[in-house]
Amino acid sequence: MREGMEMNSMRESGKQPDKLSLPHRVRGQAFPLGMALLLFGSLSGFVLYNTIQTASDKTRLANTADAAAYSGLQWQARALNFQAYTNRAMVANQVSIAQGVSLASWSKYGVVTVANISTVLSWVPVLNGILEGVETAVRAVDQVLTPIANSMVNVVDKVNKGLSIAQESMYYGSFAATPSIVDTVVSETDPRFETSSAYNLYGVASNLGRWESFTSGFDDEDLPAMIERQNMINHSLDEFSRSRNWDFFDFW
């Protein structure tokens, strides 16, 4: 009865039984922290972008420098190839002179030989007529070969002088054109880059020293060089020009 009366009195008075208390949520300012994180992310992205751009520019600059150096050296290599080919051409021309002189000498040797045989065998009735015909034919061949050999010497000598002048022109012209080729390659690869004038002058001077030390020229008054050239030409001669004999086709 008492408990019922107490409950009724509590209801009548409007009092409620105590509830379990819940913990309060933590409250604070999140905006400054978010701004700091956003600023840090932006700075990191900016630094990363600049790093990538710098690395890309360095790579492009290195590729441009390599392309310019390769183009200049390739041009000079072609000039050296031209000198090598023209040297071989001049040696071949000298060999052709030796062949012409050998043919002329061989024809004169044939004229003298046939004339001596004809003189010795002139008393033979039938053979002397044959030998006279052979002598006439050999003299005709000699009259053709001798002017050709003489003119060949003059023509080939002028051709070799022309090749020598072409070598000199190519030698100095290719060196003078190298800086222009390097500048053109740099500007065509990336217009942002350009060659430095001071460094360009230093590079030209350094390249000139190496260019002149790599090759050397000589003239007719350089006796050791002419002896070396003579030996090279002699080693390039064919068997007939070396011996000038009567052996033909390995069976005569």
Coordinates of all heavy atoms in Angstrom, one line a residue, residues 162-194:
G162 N 93.3 19.6 -108.7 CA 91.9 20.0 -108.4 C 91.3 19.3 -107.1 O 90.6 19.9 -106.3
L163 N 91.6 18.0 -107.0 CA 91.2 17.3 -105.8 C 91.9 17.9 -104.5 O 91.3 18.0 -103.5 CB 91.5 15.8 -105.9 CG 90.7 15.0 -106.9 CD1 91.2 13.6 -107.0 CD2 89.2 15.1 -106.6
S164 N 93.1 18.3 -104.7 CA 93.8 18.9 -103.5 C 93.2 20.2 -103.1 O 93.0 20.5 -101.9 CB 95.3 19.1 -103.9 OG 96.0 19.7 -102.8
I165 N 92.8 21.0 -104.1 CA 92.1 22.3 -103.8 C 90.8 22.0 -103.2 O 90.4 22.7 -102.2 CB 92.0 23.1 -105.1 CG1 93.4 23.5 -105.6 CG2 91.1 24.3 -104.8 CD1 93.3 24.2 -107.0
A166 N 90.1 21.0 -103.7 CA 88.8 20.6 -103.1 C 89.0 20.2 -101.6 O 88.1 20.5 -100.7 CB 88.1 19.5 -103.9
Q167 N 90.0 19.5 -101.3 CA 90.3 19.0 -100.0 C 90.5 20.2 -99.0 O 90.0 20.3 -97.9 CB 91.5 18.1 -99.9 CG 91.3 16.7 -100.4 CD 92.5 15.8 -100.2 OE1 93.6 16.3 -100.1 NE2 92.3 14.5 -100.1
E168 N 91.3 21.2 -99.5 CA 91.5 22.4 -98.7 C 90.3 23.2 -98.4 O 90.0 23.6 -97.3 CB 92.6 23.3 -99.4 CG 94.0 22.7 -99.5 CD 94.6 22.6 -98.1 OE1 94.3 23.5 -97.2 OE2 95.5 21.7 -97.9
S169 N 89.4 23.3 -99.5 CA 88.2 24.0 -99.3 C 87.3 23.3 -98.4 O 86.6 23.9 -97.5 CB 87.5 24.2 -100.7 OG 88.4 24.9 -101.6
M170 N 87.2 22.0 -98.5 CA 86.3 21.2 -97.6 C 86.8 21.2 -96.2 O 86.1 21.3 -95.2 CB 86.2 19.8 -98.1 CG 85.2 18.9 -97.4 SD 83.5 19.5 -97.7 CE 82.6 18.3 -96.8
Y171 N 88.1 21.2 -96.1 CA 88.8 21.2 -94.7 C 88.4 22.5 -93.9 O 87.9 22.4 -92.8 CB 90.3 21.1 -94.9 CG 91.0 21.0 -93.6 CD1 91.1 19.9 -92.9 CD2 91.7 22.2 -93.1 CE1 91.8 19.9 -91.7 CE2 92.4 22.2 -92.0 CZ 92.5 21.0 -91.2 OH 93.2 21.0 -90.1
Y172 N 88.7 23.6 -94.5 CA 88.4 24.9 -93.8 C 86.9 25.3 -93.9 O 86.4 25.8 -92.9 CB 89.2 26.0 -94.4 CG 90.7 25.9 -94.2 CD1 91.6 25.5 -95.2 CD2 91.3 26.1 -93.0 CE1 92.9 25.3 -95.0 CE2 92.6 25.9 -92.7 CZ 93.4 25.5 -93.8 OH 94.8 25.4 -93.6
G173 N 86.2 24.9 -94.9 CA 84.8 25.2 -95.0 C 84.0 24.5 -94.0 O 83.1 25.0 -93.4
S174 N 84.3 23.2 -93.8 CA 83.5 22.4 -92.9 C 83.8 22.8 -91.4 O 82.8 22.9 -90.6 CB 83.9 20.9 -93.0 OG 85.3 20.7 -92.8
F175 N 85.0 23.3 -91.2 CA 85.3 23.8 -89.8 C 84.5 25.1 -89.6 O 84.0 25.3 -88.5 CB 86.8 23.9 -89.6 CG 87.1 24.6 -88.3 CD1 87.1 23.9 -87.1 CD2 87.5 25.9 -88.3 CE1 87.4 24.5 -85.9 CE2 87.8 26.5 -87.1 CZ 87.8 25.8 -85.9
A176 N 84.5 26.0 -90.6 CA 83.9 27.3 -90.4 C 82.4 27.1 -90.3 O 81.7 27.9 -89.7 CB 84.2 28.2 -91.6
A177 N 81.8 26.1 -90.9 CA 80.4 25.9 -90.9 C 79.9 25.2 -89.6 O 78.7 25.2 -89.4 CB 79.9 25.1 -92.1
T178 N 80.8 24.6 -88.9 CA 80.3 23.8 -87.7 C 79.6 24.7 -86.7 O 78.5 24.2 -86.2 CB 81.6 23.1 -87.1 OG1 82.2 22.3 -88.0 CG2 81.1 22.3 -85.8
P179 N 80.1 25.9 -86.3 CA 79.3 26.7 -85.3 C 77.9 27.0 -85.8 O 76.9 27.0 -85.0 CB 80.1 27.9 -85.1 CG 81.5 27.5 -85.5 CD 81.4 26.5 -86.6
S180 N 77.8 27.3 -87.1 CA 76.4 27.6 -87.6 C 75.5 26.4 -87.5 O 74.3 26.5 -87.2 CB 76.6 28.1 -89.0 OG 75.3 28.3 -89.6
I181 N 76.1 25.2 -87.8 CA 75.2 24.0 -87.7 C 74.8 23.8 -86.3 O 73.6 23.4 -86.0 CB 76.1 22.8 -88.3 CG1 76.3 23.0 -89.8 CG2 75.3 21.5 -88.0 CD1 77.2 21.9 -90.4
V182 N 75.7 24.0 -85.3 CA 75.3 23.8 -83.9 C 74.2 24.8 -83.5 O 73.3 24.4 -82.8 CB 76.6 23.9 -83.1 CG1 76.2 23.9 -81.6 CG2 77.6 22.8 -83.3
D183 N 74.4 26.0 -83.9 CA 73.4 27.0 -83.6 C 72.0 26.7 -84.2 O 71.0 26.8 -83.5 CB 73.8 28.4 -84.0 CG 75.0 28.9 -83.3 OD1 75.3 28.4 -82.1 OD2 75.7 29.8 -83.8
T184 N 72.0 26.2 -85.4 CA 70.8 25.9 -86.1 C 70.1 24.7 -85.4 O 68.9 24.7 -85.2 CB 71.1 25.5 -87.6 OG1 71.7 26.7 -88.2 CG2 69.8 25.2 -88.3
V185 N 70.9 23.7 -85.0 CA 70.3 22.5 -84.4 C 69.7 22.9 -83.0 O 68.6 22.5 -82.6 CB 71.3 21.4 -84.2 CG1 70.8 20.3 -83.4 CG2 71.7 20.9 -85.6
V186 N 70.4 23.8 -82.3 CA 69.9 24.2 -81.0 C 68.6 25.0 -81.1 O 67.6 24.7 -80.4 CB 70.9 25.0 -80.2 CG1 70.4 25.7 -79.0 CG2 72.1 24.2 -79.9
S187 N 68.5 25.9 -82.0 CA 67.3 26.7 -82.2 C 66.2 25.9 -82.8 O 65.0 26.2 -82.4 CB 67.6 27.9 -83.2 OG 68.0 27.4 -84.4
E188 N 66.4 24.9 -83.6 CA 65.4 24.1 -84.2 C 64.9 23.1 -83.1 O 63.7 22.7 -83.2 CB 65.9 23.4 -85.4 CG 66.1 24.3 -86.6 CD 64.9 24.9 -87.2 OE1 63.8 24.3 -87.0 OE2 64.9 26.0 -87.8
T189 N 65.7 22.7 -82.3 CA 65.3 21.7 -81.2 C 64.4 22.3 -80.2 O 63.4 21.8 -79.8 CB 66.5 21.0 -80.6 OG1 67.3 20.4 -81.6 CG2 66.1 20.0 -79.6
D190 N 64.9 23.5 -79.7 CA 64.1 24.2 -78.7 C 64.4 25.7 -78.7 O 65.6 26.1 -78.5 CB 64.4 23.7 -77.3 CG 63.4 24.1 -76.2 OD1 62.8 25.2 -76.4 OD2 63.1 23.3 -75.3
P191 N 63.5 26.5 -79.2 CA 63.8 28.0 -79.3 C 64.2 28.6 -78.0 O 64.8 29.7 -78.0 CB 62.5 28.6 -79.9 CG 61.8 27.4 -80.4 CD 62.1 26.2 -79.6
R192 N 63.9 28.0 -76.9 CA 64.3 28.6 -75.6 C 65.8 28.6 -75.3 O 66.3 29.4 -74.5 CB 63.5 27.9 -74.4 CG 62.0 28.0 -74.5 CD 61.4 27.2 -73.3 NE 61.8 25.8 -73.4 CZ 61.6 24.9 -72.4 NH1 61.0 25.3 -71.3 NH2 62.0 23.7 -72.6
F193 N 66.5 27.7 -75.9 CA 67.9 27.6 -75.7 C 68.7 28.3 -76.8 O 68.2 28.4 -77.9 CB 68.3 26.1 -75.7 CG 67.5 25.3 -74.6 CD1 67.1 24.0 -74.9 CD2 67.2 25.8 -73.4 CE1 66.4 23.3 -74.0 CE2 66.6 25.1 -72.4 CZ 66.1 23.8 -72.7
E194 N 69.9 28.7 -76.4 CA 70.8 29.3 -77.4 C 72.2 29.1 -76.9 O 72.4 28.9 -75.7 CB 70.5 30.8 -77.5 CG 70.7 31.6 -76.3 CD 70.4 33.1 -76.4 OE1 69.9 33.5 -77.5 OE2 70.6 33.9 -75.5

